[in-house]
Amino acid sequence: MNKFIAILVFCLAVCTQLVAQENTLLWKVSGKGLKQDSYLFGTMHILCPDDFEIKEKVSKALKASSTLTLEVDAFSPENQELAKQLTAPNKEFLKSLSPEQLKSIETAFAAEQIPMQLFDMISPVGIMSFLALKSFNCPDPTQVKLMENELVALAKADNKPVEELESLKFQMDLMNSIFIAEELYNYVQKMDTYPALTQRMVNAYKEENLAEFNAIMFDNSYLSKENQEMMLTKRNENWVKLMPERLKKGSNFFAVGAGHLIGEHGLINLLKKQGYKVTPIFK
């Protein structure tokens, strides 16, 4: 019995250590003949100013890298011009809904003081982004912080090139294929629950708690298995095919949404499967 307890205690200690190792958003990628280390950083795309921080370990890793690579460089002049075309309103978007569903959306929007005329002004994806931003409850939404924007500013201050893992058109087409009118209807049915969920996600992000982030991202009530496959798994598999060539070129700082790091099909695991050493950086 004493031996059993000793083994149990040892297992608990090891498990605790393994969980602790997940509590970082910054990872070093090395090995497999690479001449320089690269870095993998999990971002939260939007944060209120009071929650926003670029930790010293992150700025040091970016400083040590020769290139910053994002999912998409949304701030390039080319992409900003393209975004105007890709975010045009879709006047047919709500036509697939029943009168009852449409009335439910109107009621939910009215409660949040959101005019239905918004559908005549911006794309459905733009509306979803607006709703997501509202769930953060920032005191002044116009002052929201965009992590990628801040990273680009740091990179450009050091004259570092900024590269992409996918095109803006691919990303917008993907979002448009996922965000159909039925999804909006489902969203507004539980819209009052999203601020608490968003706060939970922000807390997990600030604590660099990937285990908690994993629990949120892979909760089927938040993101269906089909959307997980399209938004996370397939994109991770596409990116990990591009990364080896970029890793060979020199030190690269990859900044992607934190949800892309975790799980069996996350970038950390996929890079390890390719033979790279992926090491957590705590400070």
Side-chain angles (χ1 to χ4, degrees):
M1 178 62 72
N2 288 340
K3 184 177 180 182
F4 173 78
I5 292 173
I7 292 171
L8 180 61
V9 169
F10 173 76
C11 289
L12 286 171
V14 170
C15 290
T16 302
Q17 187 177 27
L18 289 173
V19 170
Q21 285 180 345
E22 293 296 306
N23 285 346
T24 181
L25 296 165
L26 182 65
W27 298 72
K28 182 174 71 174
V29 183
S30 59
K32 206 175 178 182
L34 294 180
K35 294 180 180 177
Q36 293 178 290
D37 296 335
S38 286
Y39 300 91
L40 181 62
F41 175 56
T43 73
M44 192 156 182
H45 304 308
I46 298 172
L47 284 167
C48 300
D50 288 346
D51 294 317
F52 183 83
E53 179 187 14
I54 295 180
K55 294 187 177 179
E56 184 181 1
K57 65 178 182 180
V58 175
S59 56
K60 281 173 65 177
L62 178 55
K63 191 87 172 171
S65 304
S66 56
T67 303
L68 168 65
T69 299
L70 306 173
E71 296 178 24
V72 167
D73 180 9
F75 313 101
S76 72
E78 299 84 4
N79 278 341
Q80 288 190 342
E81 187 60 35
L82 181 59
K84 294 176 186 176
Q85 304 170 31
L86 296 175
T87 55
N90 176 2
K91 305 230 172 149
E92 304 295 311
F93 181 70
L94 296 173
K95 290 195 173 176
S96 63
L97 297 178
S98 68
E100 293 77 16
Q101 288 175 315
L102 192 56
K103 182 64 178 176
S104 178
I105 292 173
E106 290 174 349
T107 302
F109 272 35
E112 295 291 327
Q113 297 182 317
I114 303 171
M116 289 295 288
Q117 288 80 2
L118 210 56
F119 287 96
D120 297 324
M121 301 165 62
I122 59 176
S123 69
V125 170
I127 290 170
M128 192 63 192
S129 299
F130 174 76
L131 295 176
L133 177 58
K134 278 187 69 68
S135 75
F136 280 80
N137 284 331
C138 297
D140 183 355
T142 65
Q143 299 301 309
V144 68
K145 288 284 191 177
L146 306 176
M147 177 63 77
E148 283 76 5
N149 195 22
E150 301 298 324
L151 293 175
V152 167
L154 289 175
K156 292 197 170 175
D158 285 340
N159 296 313
K160 298 182 194 294
V162 179
E163 298 183 351
E164 302 175 308
L165 288 167
E166 61 192 18
S167 71
L168 178 63
K169 185 175 186 311
F170 171 85
Q171 198 170 90
M172 292 301 297
D173 285 348
L174 174 63
M175 294 299 293
N176 281 320
S177 70
I178 289 174
F179 184 50
I180 59 176
E182 193 74 27
E183 289 289 339
L184 174 63
Y185 171 73
N186 292 336
Y187 182 93
V188 300
Q189 301 314 300
K190 47 187 178 180
M191 194 156 60
D192 59 340
T193 70
Y194 278 94
L197 179 64
T198 300
Q199 189 58 55
R200 183 182 161 202
M201 190 177 290
V202 168
N203 292 342
Y205 186 80
K206 289 169 68 176
E207 294 165 5
E208 301 192 65
N209 188 338
L210 284 186
E212 173 71 354
F213 222 89
N214 183 74
I216 298 168
M217 291 301 297
F218 293 96
D219 181 346
N220 292 339
S221 64
Y222 168 62
L223 192 65
S224 71
K225 286 186 177 180
E226 293 76 16
N227 286 349
Q228 287 173 24
E229 178 78 12
M230 294 175 69
M231 288 291 295
L232 299 171
T233 303
K234 288 185 177 179
R235 293 169 73 205
N236 289 348
E237 290 170 351
N238 289 339
W239 296 347
V240 86
K241 291 174 186 174
L242 301 174
M243 292 172 79
E245 193 60 38
R246 302 190 187 196
L247 290 166
K248 286 179 190 174
K249 287 182 181 178
S251 184
N252 210 312
F253 187 97
F254 296 94
V256 299
H260 291 282
L261 269 57
I262 50 186
E264 180 184 355
H265 302 288
L267 290 177
I268 293 170
N269 193 47
L270 292 177
L271 286 168
K272 286 180 177 179
K273 279 187 173 182
Q274 287 199 7
Y276 295 102
K277 184 178 181 181
V278 188
T279 311
I281 299 177
F282 300 112
K283 58 183 178 179

